[in-house]
Amino acid sequence: MSRPELIAPPEIYYGDSEAKKYTQNTRNQQIQADMTYRALELLNLPPEEPAFLLDIGCGSGLSGEILDQEGYAWVGVDIAPSMLEVALEREVEGDLFLQDIGQGFGFRPGSFDGAISISVLQWLLNAETSHHTSSPPHRLHRFFTTLHSALRNPSRAVFQFYPSSDDQIQLITSTAQKAGFGGGIVVDYPNSKKAKKVFLCLFVGGGGGQQEIPKGLEGVEEEGSKVRFERRRDRERLRGKGGIRKKVKDKDWILKKKELYRRRGKEDVPRDSKYTGRKRKPVF
Amino acid sequence: MVRLVTHNLLACHAKDCNTNNFPLVFQNVQLEIREAEFNPGFIQSFLPKIEWNALVKTAQELGDTSLPIDQPEMIDDELLKNLHHVLFEIHIVEGAMICPNCKHNYPISDGIPNMLLAEHEIA
């Protein structure tokens, strides 16, 4: 698994060329769209009501486009200017801000009905300078406290992210709890290496009854949710390992040879039966 | 695009800037009017979040005087139309936003405000 957050800070990693590449990659688009729909599902907004959402790390607006389609008004923040430029070109509806989420938000209390964030939190876990405000715990604390106050009571914030260790999950959840959030981690397809997705589902306020953490999706990922060309890749991989290659001496070949020997008058050619060309049991 | 709907939610977030940090004052702005779809339901639900005085003050600074100074009790169609225009159709494309308290300057270019802080301003 590639870890771009270990290569460079986001505003540098997502420069002009990388921003274009990221946005035009159909595989990325598909994954982003799936995760955005899932995040909206976890957000559990009341249906048929207009909502004002915050898209944290909106990037080039891949998730914002879906928010537009679903009829939500939204505000997007991102730290990479090149990504925002692409978002402008794509003419998304939301208002965009160039902002470092680790520095905190300036939104007034109760501004938003919910927040989503796709593949962003892991970027907060690296210190870029030695200044004390640059340490991951400090940045996370600042981020969660200002986000908590910017959200309406009751509401939810859903973050999809790629943790690289349990310690990171621990740090993130404990910081969020200290900031006043309830909730926890939801893992979709926990047993699949590829389809596994980690969501942090945070609640502001209880609204009377305690809000319940939604269940992660389980079981085998359905066929339709696979990325395109996946099957072709599987097939090509198998071919490389020789898994699909036909056996040279299969039943047809044996029958042909025996027939040939009989025609030439060779003696003691075994007769054909249901056992011809069959694999022996391993106990033999 | 900075629209007044988001501007009305935005306060200064620099270090130790906690009072009188709202609303940010526009400076040297270039405006653009872009038509948007009229959605009365959304405006109604958004109304409780709006700081009326700040909205009217900012709208007047930008040259739009269609809103009454005091927030009316009754909401009629004309008010909704005016609100829609002020909140969603006025876009600030270039310029800056200045914090009334700490005078921090948030420049706007291409409709995107730069909210980044220097190291010593981070709380």
Side-chain angles (χ1 to χ4, degrees):
Chain A
M1 181 178 207
S2 69
R3 289 256 167 216
E5 66 269 24
L6 299 180
I7 295 173
E11 66 274 28
I12 294 170
Y13 181 80
Y14 288 117
D16 286 341
S17 61
E18 195 64 32
K20 281 243 159 57
K21 242 196 282 176
Y22 186 88
T23 316
Q24 285 167 357
N25 184 332
T26 43
R27 185 161 183 258
N28 269 348
Q29 288 175 3
Q30 181 65 42
I31 294 177
Q32 284 264 334
D34 287 349
M35 293 194 298
T36 310
Y37 281 119
R38 176 70 177 138
L40 280 174
E41 193 184 327
L42 291 172
L43 210 52
N44 198 16
L45 292 162
E48 307 297 318
E49 258 178 58
F52 197 58
L53 302 182
L54 180 62
D55 186 352
I56 300 159
C58 61
S60 49
L62 287 175
S63 44
E65 240 164 34
I66 288 167
L67 298 182
D68 287 340
Q69 280 169 21
E70 300 286 308
Y72 297 115
W74 57 280
V75 169
V77 300
D78 204 288
I79 195 176
S82 305
M83 288 291 246
L84 291 173
E85 225 166 87
V86 179
L88 275 187
E89 282 170 23
R90 290 156 59 87
E91 298 190 333
V92 289
E93 301 268 329
D95 284 357
L96 305 169
F97 287 88
L98 177 66
Q99 190 155 19
D100 181 356
I101 57 172
Q103 296 178 349
F105 299 107
F107 296 111
R108 282 198 294 122
S111 295
F112 296 98
D113 302 314
I116 65 163
S117 153
I118 306 295
S119 310
V120 175
L121 275 189
Q122 71 269 15
W123 290 97
L124 278 180
L125 298 169
N126 300 303
E128 305 301 349
T129 68
S130 58
H131 196 267
H132 75 96
T133 57
S134 180
S135 75
H138 186 274
R139 285 166 66 75
L140 281 171
H141 172 74
R142 184 86 188 124
F143 168 63
F144 281 126
T145 42
T146 51
L147 176 68
H148 185 269
S149 72
L151 288 171
R152 199 170 59 101
N153 183 356
S155 64
R156 288 185 180 190
V158 176
F159 308 78
Q160 182 277 324
F161 70 115
Y162 295 107
S164 59
S165 69
D166 285 348
D167 288 349
Q168 291 191 342
I169 298 183
Q170 179 62 29
L171 174 67
I172 287 175
T173 46
S174 67
T175 317
Q177 267 162 14
K178 271 181 217 152
F181 282 107
I185 297 280
V186 178
V187 184
D188 280 359
Y189 309 116
N191 300 321
S192 159
K193 210 169 166 191
K194 221 190 265 166
K196 181 178 174 183
K197 290 280 176 295
V198 181
F199 289 87
L200 176 65
C201 194
L202 297 178
F203 309 138
V204 180
Q210 199 69 31
Q211 295 198 60
E212 204 174 309
I213 303 178
K215 286 228 162 57
L217 300 176
E218 293 209 7
V220 195
E221 200 195 3
E222 70 267 47
E223 192 69 10
S225 65
K226 265 195 167 180
V227 186
R228 277 201 292 163
F229 306 123
E230 195 86 316
R231 197 179 294 154
R232 188 206 287 176
R233 202 169 65 184
D234 279 348
R235 205 167 53 216
E236 268 161 18
R237 200 180 53 209
L238 275 178
R239 189 181 297 159
K241 283 185 188 161
I244 263 181
R245 198 189 295 153
K246 250 174 108 184
K247 274 189 221 141
V248 181
K249 298 185 178 176
D250 60 351
K251 192 173 176 183
D252 287 342
W253 181 84
I254 295 172
L255 290 174
K256 205 176 80 190
K257 279 286 181 192
K258 281 158 96 175
E259 189 57 40
L260 186 72
Y261 293 147
R262 278 185 208 116
R263 262 193 279 131
R264 286 179 184 162
K266 195 181 177 195
E267 283 168 31
D268 301 333
V269 180
R271 47 192 185 89
D272 299 339
S273 75
K274 64 175 179 178
Y275 301 107
T276 307
R278 222 163 79 167
K279 206 179 167 201
R280 281 185 177 137
K281 279 187 187 161
V283 289
F284 180 75
Chain B
M1 303 153 298
V2 190
R3 297 174 296 183
L4 290 195
V5 59
T6 29
H7 172 264
N8 199 265
L9 300 173
L10 205 59
C12 180
H13 65 298
K15 189 179 185 178
D16 299 328
C17 185
N18 302 317
T19 50
N20 186 31
N21 57 357
F22 172 84
L24 303 175
V25 182
F26 283 116
Q27 215 173 50
N28 306 327
V29 289
Q30 267 178 43
L31 299 184
E32 208 178 282
I33 307 291
R34 276 185 232 165
E35 264 183 48
E37 203 182 321
F38 182 51
N39 184 348
F42 181 69
I43 299 177
Q44 295 251 16
S45 72
F46 199 76
L47 215 47
K49 291 182 195 167
I50 290 177
E51 266 279 331
W52 188 267
N53 292 336
L55 179 67
V56 174
K57 191 173 143 228
T58 315
Q60 282 177 350
E61 280 168 7
L62 298 179
D64 188 302
T65 50
S66 59
L67 295 178
I69 301 221
D70 297 312
Q71 181 163 11
E73 301 269 312
M74 285 288 292
I75 300 162
D76 53 18
D77 276 0
E78 202 197 324
L79 180 71
L80 281 177
K81 286 243 163 63
N82 287 339
L83 268 173
H84 171 72
H85 177 73
V86 170
L87 287 174
F88 297 105
E89 298 193 323
I90 302 180
H91 295 258
I92 292 91
V93 186
E94 299 281 332
M97 294 186 288
I98 314 284
C99 170
N101 182 33
C102 70
K103 306 294 173 212
H104 188 284
N105 182 325
Y106 299 100
I108 303 173
S109 80
D110 255 344
I112 298 180
N114 180 342
M115 306 302 288
L116 300 179
L117 301 174
E119 225 166 46
H120 65 275
E121 294 164 322
I122 304 171

